[in-house]
Structures are given as structure tokens and as C-alpha cells.
Amino acid sequence: MRTKRTVGIRAAALTLACLAACGMAQAQLLIGQTAGMSGSVAASVNETIAGAQLVIDAVNAQGGIHGEKIEVLRMDDAFDVKRAGENAKVLIEQKQVLAMFMTRGTPHTQAIIPQLDQHGVALIAPSTGAMALHQPLRKHVFNVRPTYQREAEKAVDHLSTVGMTRIAVVHVTDSFGADALEGAKKGFAKAKMEPAVLVPADRDKPDYNAIVPKLVAANAQAVLWIGSGTVVVDGVKALRAAGSAAQVVTLSNNASSGFIKQLGESSKGVIVTQVFPNERAMGNAMVKEALTMARAKGMNELSPASLEGFASAKVLVEGLRRAGPKPTRAKVVTALETIRQFDLGGGLDLSYSPTDHSGIDFADLSIISDGRFKR
């Protein structure tokens, strides 16, 4: 015969068991991501996600961090600035994510900064090289990749060094385009040259019938095309259809296998600047590690975008590890700022401090890549 006391003890035991089980089930480090998983930049975004997931899956398979597994809650913003802001609000306020991760796009990332600052949430490794995220210091933004300005400056320097004297620039009319254009202007000033022509282009619906004739009329030997994804692909194809054989250079936001595949035969004569090691350089420690993990999952090759995701996830994991058991948003921010000379592999060291969130020092790394993109 069961007494009330016996029933009560059993009920309490069941409750404790349930709480323990529920606690284990909820023992997750929730990370938020909004990015264009569909739309014009989908190819490179999904490659960065695949690269990041290699690291996250490996960490989770070993029990996670301090006994908690990482779960990335991803929301597709289709490369729309308004949707990026809305997604961030949901992830931060409703889903209560611990940190944000690998947003894509300059204006898109800028749109979520107010949410980061209001709620004290770190954004780790935004997939953009906007100078506005580096200077002035953004308290909650922790960059991994270098600035677009350095890439654009280097691109113009490269073209002038190989004898190009008529270099045109096509730039999207948003904060990304304006930012990269500043770098290009530094390159022209350094080379003591003027651009053959500067052509603005709408980010989503560029008018190639207006853009291409200006490039042809300028008799451009090379075109620095500052834009994203399919917008640049279609622009290059329109340029070739007009009979121009101009060398085309675009920035590392387009450094993905998907971008090259979309170009098809038009990839001939296209250079993509690159801020990570050659993904085929098996002598590089980071590349070797990433490819080993990729092959274990049935992936036979890496891309520059997947390497970016891989490196970014390493930084995410290190920040969470340093934040300790049961981390808070504030602890993650503080932990990231303690990272010094963190070796990502292959000679890439990353450091942060309370006054510098720039990330990897790329001073000695060439960022121009060419032939391997011609597939």
C-alpha cells in the first residue's frame, strides 16, 4: 500500500529525473546566423556554412564545449537588408542566442549592430570586409577577414604592376560599394593613375545595357567589378557578349566554387582576390586539416568560401571555450577579447583586445589569386 509520503518521494524523484534529462537536452550553446542562403550570394554563403559546420560537427562529436553542444540557428535573409535586421531581432530577442555568427553583407551587418549593442551580443566573423566594422571599434563585432579596402587597393596595384593603364571600376551603390571604392582610389593614387571610368550599379538590378557600353567606350584593359554573386556573373557575361576581352577583377566576397561555376566559359580572364590560403595547398596546415575533415564527410574539395567558414568557426569555438561553463553573452564578449596569437593553422594568427577587433593579420599574405579559378 502506497502512502502519500511514498508517492511524494517518487514524484519528486521523477521530477528531478525529468529536470536532469531536460537540462541535458537543453544543454546547447545557441548561436544565431542570418545570411543569404538563397538569392544572389547563396553559392558562397552555403559554402561558408559547409566549412564552418566541419568544425562545429567535430567539436560536438567530442562532447561539445564544457559538456554543451553548439547549435547554430540559421535564418535565410535572401541577401535583403531589411530581412537581415528582422532575422537578427528574432534570433537575439526571441531565440535568446548566445552570440551571432557569420552574417553576410556590409549593409546587412550594419543593420543588426543596434541589436548587438542593445543586448550585448557578440557577432563573430561577419562575412564582410567593411572598414566600418573595423574603424571605429565596434564593441560587439569581432572580425576575422581583412578589409575590402585593402583588397581593392591591392587589386589596382596588381593591375598597374602588370602594365594595365586603362582600369575601369564598376561599383554597387551601397555601403559595400562605397567602402571598396575608397580602397580602389588609394590604389589609383599609389599608382599615380586615374580610373578609365567609374560606373555605379544598382546592387540588385544593375542596368547592364547602360554599364557595359561605358566600359567598352573607355576601352578598358581591366575592370575592377565591385559587386556580389550573380550580379557580377551576369555583368561579366554581358561584357564578354559586347566583345570586350578586358581582364576582370572582383573581390573575395565572390571567392567560391559556385561563383566560378556560374561564370562557366566566361571565367576566362577573371581574377578573384583571396584572403585565405589556396584551398589546394596541402602543405598548409589549415587546408590539410579542413580537407581531412571534409573528406570524412564525403566532400572531395574545398573552396575559398569554405575555408573562410572553417577559420571563422575555429574562432567561434575558441571564444566559447574561453567563456567557460554556462557562458553568458557578456562572458563571450570578454572571452573573445582575451584571444592573443591564436593559431588558425598555416601561419594565420588571430588576436583581439578590448581596443582591436580586427582579427587576422594579413600583412604578409598575398591576396591575389588567378589561375586556379579558371575552371
Side-chain angles (χ1 to χ4, degrees):
M1 182 177 179
R2 293 186 297 176
T3 64
K4 289 183 178 180
R5 183 172 180 276
T6 303
V7 172
I9 291 172
R10 288 181 176 176
L14 287 171
T15 300
L16 288 172
C18 179
L19 286 173
C22 291
M24 288 178 66
Q26 294 174 355
Q28 294 171 323
L29 302 169
L30 295 181
I31 307 300
Q33 181 182 12
T34 176
M37 297 158 209
S38 66
S40 61
V41 298
S44 58
V45 165
N46 290 317
E47 286 175 33
T48 60
I49 289 173
Q53 204 61 42
L54 292 175
V55 176
I56 293 168
D57 287 348
V59 169
N60 285 343
Q62 295 174 3
I65 301 173
H66 303 298
E68 296 185 277
K69 294 188 177 182
I70 303 170
E71 180 182 353
V72 183
L73 304 180
R74 297 186 173 98
M75 296 184 70
D76 181 13
D77 58 40
F79 207 50
D80 179 82
V81 174
K82 183 180 178 182
R83 280 180 63 180
E86 292 170 347
N87 287 352
K89 186 176 179 67
V90 170
L91 290 164
I92 292 171
E93 294 186 356
Q94 296 180 26
K95 302 299 183 181
Q96 290 291 302
V97 297
L98 187 60
M100 293 292 291
F101 180 57
M102 254 181 10
T103 52
R104 174 63 186 262
T106 299
H108 311 71
T109 301
Q110 289 174 311
I112 80 168
I113 288 177
Q115 283 282 321
L116 302 177
D117 292 341
Q118 180 183 348
H119 297 284
V121 177
L123 167 59
I124 301 166
S127 189
T128 166
M131 181 64 79
L133 302 180
H134 290 253
Q135 298 176 359
L137 175 75
R138 299 288 186 177
K139 172 63 179 175
H140 298 101
V141 178
F142 292 84
N143 299 285
V144 171
R145 57 168 30 250
T147 65
Y148 288 137
Q149 287 195 20
R150 288 186 64 188
E151 287 190 59
E153 180 181 354
K154 181 76 172 180
V156 174
D157 179 61
H158 169 78
L159 291 170
S160 65
T161 299
V162 297
M164 302 289 186
T165 57
R166 298 187 304 280
I167 306 170
V169 180
V170 180
H171 59 96
V172 289
T173 53
D174 63 8
S175 54
F176 160 54
D179 185 45
L181 182 58
E182 284 301 307
K185 289 178 177 178
K186 291 177 184 177
F188 283 113
K190 181 180 177 181
K192 297 181 180 180
M193 296 170 53
E194 293 291 331
V197 63
L198 294 176
V199 186
D202 183 81
R203 186 187 68 206
D204 300 315
K205 297 180 180 179
D207 184 358
Y208 300 113
N209 290 328
I211 294 169
V212 171
K214 292 177 182 178
L215 301 176
V216 174
N219 194 24
Q221 295 170 297
V223 178
L224 173 57
W225 205 303
I226 301 168
S228 298
T230 55
V231 166
V232 178
V233 168
D234 293 342
V236 173
K237 290 180 177 180
L239 185 64
R240 297 294 182 245
S244 173
Q247 177 87 69
V248 176
V249 181
T250 189
L251 302 185
S252 68
N253 60 307
N254 292 320
S256 71
S257 295
F259 177 77
I260 301 304
K261 289 174 182 176
Q262 288 172 337
L263 277 172
E265 291 300 315
S266 297
S267 65
K268 184 178 180 180
V270 174
I271 290 175
V272 184
T273 62
Q274 175 54 28
V275 295
F276 287 92
N278 186 329
E279 72 279 9
R280 299 176 188 173
M282 286 302 293
N284 182 281
M286 185 174 73
V287 173
K288 185 176 181 179
E289 181 186 14
L291 188 56
T292 298
M293 289 185 182
R295 285 174 174 166
K297 286 184 167 292
M299 297 167 56
N300 294 321
E301 64 177 10
L302 298 172
S303 71
S306 62
L307 273 181
E308 178 180 351
F310 187 84
S312 298
K314 280 194 158 192
V315 178
L316 169 67
V317 167
E318 182 65 12
L320 293 175
R321 185 187 68 78
R322 288 173 180 245
K326 306 299 178 187
T328 63
R329 289 169 170 178
K331 285 182 179 179
V332 172
V333 172
T334 301
L336 286 163
E337 289 183 337
T338 69
I339 294 177
R340 302 284 191 279
Q341 296 297 305
F342 176 55
D343 182 13
L344 293 169
L348 295 183
D349 290 334
L350 177 141
S351 296
Y352 296 126
S353 75
T355 58
D356 186 357
H357 293 180
S358 291
I360 299 173
D361 181 5
F362 284 86
D364 298 322
L365 182 65
S366 173
I367 63 170
I368 296 293
S369 301
D370 189 2
R372 73 180 192 273
F373 289 101
K374 296 176 182 177
R375 296 176 180 169

